[in-house]
């Protein structure tokens, strides 16, 4: 019997930003039917343990190993669910699984499904109003997998295009200076009055969200649990909300 | 008693792309508690009628009127739910409600909440693999609310930044030539081998998804129910899937 004759499967799911009320029913159903759960430690910890569910929690930065492990277990017949925070297709595990698949063509016939989730930028945007209500972009500020020069270049082009922006993984202990540099690039490209929102731990008990003009933004306002939203040139406040109009000139 | 002494509220919710299994529990709860449902006709039709729920379905392009109506009903004490397809903050009703609020400051004290949903691009991306797995942008190709020149400019800058792209509202009967022009701009900026995915009616019974190189893309492959995903320079196929690697040079 070849690996692909089994009834195993890999389902890559998004748990949303934190609140259980944002987990879609299809993701809950996949979790209920799983035999094996794979993911980064804090994401696996978000799923209630139950009899018959094997947990495989691994450290961060082990994405490819984790993805390969998922494919291998599925080939042995397991119903594997790979968990990501937010949406699995946005700076998360879905790409890692397909990268692992590319390197291990013996798994090509496996049943692989991606189930979307509420990604951090859209949960954060909803909390403050509608700052991404016009054309926007999403940029991962981590230079683990791309050179910093490319990140700066994209920030500059995004400012030139007048995109609203969502910035993921803005800051880590390992690279404290880079986000300060990103803020400089943004001030240069967008001006000091542009609104920027720091949304930390969205929908979690320790959620903290604040919006300031770029002139008042400091690197210390972000950490790795923060998604940062930058408005476009028309983004403004109305009452306690921040929104970007649907129209542009 | 002023309008703001009442217990009315406006909750702007995202119904996701079509499948009920992608509607979040918090959105379902809001729908169950609503007294009044406001939205574009086909979106209101997606909610099961029940006793005590007043339906206010309106035509497309009436977003601001609809938003003002929602605020007015809430000021009178109604528990209003405004429904959007996908996510309400992505080319949908959330911005329209805040625009209406800006024009009617008497409603500023109202309780307004936005509940995110699965937006079309992320549902489409999940269906084909992980084409948005690296930095990406979302551009609305409709020129109802912005000049076409700005759209072309953003497409060019997005290509220069090597963003993957999600294109909403690619084509309508009223402007059949524009999407053909957008494809020309993309071929010019991204080359003819770049992968493009046409995802129509995602998660609905008539879902149709196809991926081709830009050289084979024709304007007729999109309609107003289609979200279009354009890969970045590294986007590729693995088996029957399309994905964008997490890394870039």
């Amino acid at each position: 019997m070849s690996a692909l004759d089994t009834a195993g499967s890999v389902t890559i799911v998004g748990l949303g930003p934190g609140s259980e009320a944002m987990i879609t029913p299809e993701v809950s159903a996949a979790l209920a039917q799983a035999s094996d759960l794979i993911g980064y430690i804090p994401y696996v910890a978000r799923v209630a343990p139950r009899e018959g569910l094997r947990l495989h929690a691994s450290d961060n930065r082990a994405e490819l190993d984790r993805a390969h492990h998922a494919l291998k277990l599925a080939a042995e017949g397991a119903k594997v669910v790979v968990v990501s925070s937010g949406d699995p297709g946005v700076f998360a595990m879905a790409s890692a699984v397909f990268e692992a698949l590319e390197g291990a063509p013996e798994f090509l016939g496996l049943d692989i499904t991606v189930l979307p989730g509420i990604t951090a930028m859209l949960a954060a945007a909803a909390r403050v109003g509608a700052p991404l209500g016009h054309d926007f972009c999403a940029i991962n500020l981590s230079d683990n997998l791309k050179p910093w020069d490319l990140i700066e270049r994209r920030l500059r082009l995004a400012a030139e295009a007048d995109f609203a922006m969502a910035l993921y993984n803005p800051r880590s202990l390992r690279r404290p200076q880079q986000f300060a540099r990103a803020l400089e690039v943004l001030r240069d490209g967008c001006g000091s009055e542009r609104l920027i929102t720091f949304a930390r731990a969205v929908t979690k008990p320790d959620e903290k969200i604040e919006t300031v003009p770029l002139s008042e933004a400091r690197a210390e306002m972000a950490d790795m649990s923060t998604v940062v939203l930058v408005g476009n040139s028309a983004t403004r406040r109305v009452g306690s909300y921040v929104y970007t109009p649907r129209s542009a000139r």
Side-chain angles (χ1 to χ4, degrees), chain A:
Chain A
M1 188 177 88
S2 94
L4 306 182
D5 294 331
T6 69
S9 60
V10 176
T11 308
I12 311 154
V13 310
L15 296 178
S19 165
E20 287 205 20
M22 285 190 193
I23 300 178
T24 66
E26 66 179 14
V27 167
S28 295
L31 291 170
Q33 290 155 18
S35 66
D36 292 79
L37 196 64
I38 289 187
Y40 177 39
I41 298 161
Y43 305 152
V44 169
R46 285 177 53 193
V47 178
R50 62 173 165 76
E51 206 171 336
L53 179 64
R54 286 180 295 269
L55 305 180
H56 310 268
S58 51
D59 202 357
N60 208 349
R61 300 226 204 164
E63 289 91 351
L64 268 186
D65 290 346
R66 195 188 292 152
H68 195 268
H69 188 200
L71 295 170
K72 189 162 173 292
L73 286 175
E76 293 164 6
K79 287 190 185 305
V80 181
V81 168
V82 177
V83 289
S84 282
S85 179
D87 181 276
V90 178
F91 311 128
M93 280 303 294
S95 279
V97 170
F98 294 110
E99 277 177 62
L101 184 65
E102 198 172 36
E106 67 271 26
F107 297 133
L108 268 176
L110 278 175
D111 174 12
I112 302 177
T113 307
V114 181
L115 301 182
I118 302 294
T119 184
M121 67 178 166
L122 298 184
R127 283 294 214 238
V128 295
L132 302 178
H134 191 78
D135 301 338
F136 66 95
C137 65
I139 302 177
N140 188 340
L141 292 193
S142 166
D143 68 344
N144 280 347
L145 295 162
K146 65 189 167 197
W148 177 256
D149 282 355
L150 179 61
I151 297 172
E152 279 201 20
R153 183 175 146 75
R154 285 187 177 148
L155 289 172
R156 274 191 223 101
L157 287 165
E160 192 180 340
D162 201 15
F163 281 128
M165 305 179 209
L167 308 177
Y168 282 72
N169 300 319
R171 192 159 175 264
S172 74
L173 285 175
R174 198 180 51 75
R175 45 185 177 87
Q177 297 314 314
Q178 289 183 344
F179 184 55
R181 175 68 192 140
L183 289 175
E184 277 176 31
V185 172
L186 289 169
R187 272 189 290 263
D188 190 48
C190 306
S192 59
E193 295 309 301
R194 185 69 54 92
L195 292 180
I196 182 170
T197 297
F198 296 85
R200 191 183 173 283
V202 176
T203 80
K204 293 179 186 162
D206 53 340
E207 176 182 282
K208 186 183 175 196
I209 303 183
E210 57 184 329
T211 300
V212 297
L214 269 175
S215 57
E216 294 173 25
R218 297 184 318 281
E220 298 71 43
M221 295 163 91
D223 64 15
M224 281 308 269
S225 301
T226 305
V227 64
V228 174
L229 306 178
V230 183
N232 75 9
S233 60
T235 303
R236 51 192 185 250
R237 296 179 191 268
V238 52
S240 58
Y241 309 99
V242 176
Y243 90 102
T244 301
R246 299 164 304 146
S247 59
R249 277 170 302 175

